Amino acid sequence: MRFPRFVDAVSRRSGLPPEQAAAVARAVLQTMAERVTGGPADDLAGQLPDEVDDYLAGPAAAPGGSVAGPAEFLRRVGERAGVDERTARVGTGAVFATLREALTVAEFREMVTRLPRGGSGGIEPVPPSPYDG
């Protein structure tokens, strides 16, 4: 999946215009990269499709170190994307749902387990999958 298709999927899921969906998607991926545990974000980026992984490969570190807690995650997403908290929350959920669709079940689970507890900004990142038995 190329980034434009990823953004289209996020836009459809969130109801956000494509430009805003792209900004939120970039912000979520960069904020996730700050939270990754158990290895460099580059390892995680290798699991993502095509251009999407570029947003996890070496983003600028946020001032103040790692992101602490769901509220701070959403605040940083909103700040980076230039959106309010509600838009950040809706967009974050759409990004995680799109990642779940774009990755294999094993890759997605590994990605989620590498985020600290609450790493998805208070969004449930694992929608039900028809393949989970």
Side-chain angles (χ1 to χ4, degrees):
M1 176 181 290
R2 312 261 319 141
F3 193 67
R5 287 187 58 209
F6 186 85
V7 168
D8 286 344
V10 171
S11 178
R12 281 192 312 275
R13 283 187 168 94
S14 65
L16 299 174
E19 304 79 28
Q20 200 170 42
V24 170
R26 287 184 193 100
V28 168
L29 294 169
Q30 290 171 344
T31 305
M32 281 175 55
E34 293 173 353
R35 296 190 61 112
V36 170
T37 62
D42 291 345
D43 291 348
L44 177 59
Q47 298 174 15
L48 298 176
D50 300 329
E51 299 157 3
V52 177
D53 66 355
D54 291 342
Y55 294 100
L56 281 178
S66 68
V67 179
E72 181 63 9
F73 184 96
L74 290 173
R75 186 193 70 73
R76 289 203 183 166
V77 168
E79 186 177 281
R80 279 188 168 126
V83 298
D84 61 28
E85 183 181 339
R86 182 192 119 6
T87 303
R89 181 177 299 279
V90 168
T92 298
V95 169
F96 274 97
T98 303
L99 286 170
R100 172 60 188 91
E101 184 178 272
L103 300 172
T104 68
V105 171
E107 288 170 336
F108 185 79
R109 285 186 178 153
E110 181 181 341
M111 180 188 73
V112 171
T113 61
R114 293 198 46 208
L115 294 172
R117 184 174 168 91
S120 59
I123 304 301
E124 177 54 49
V126 186
S129 169
Y131 305 110
D132 293 345

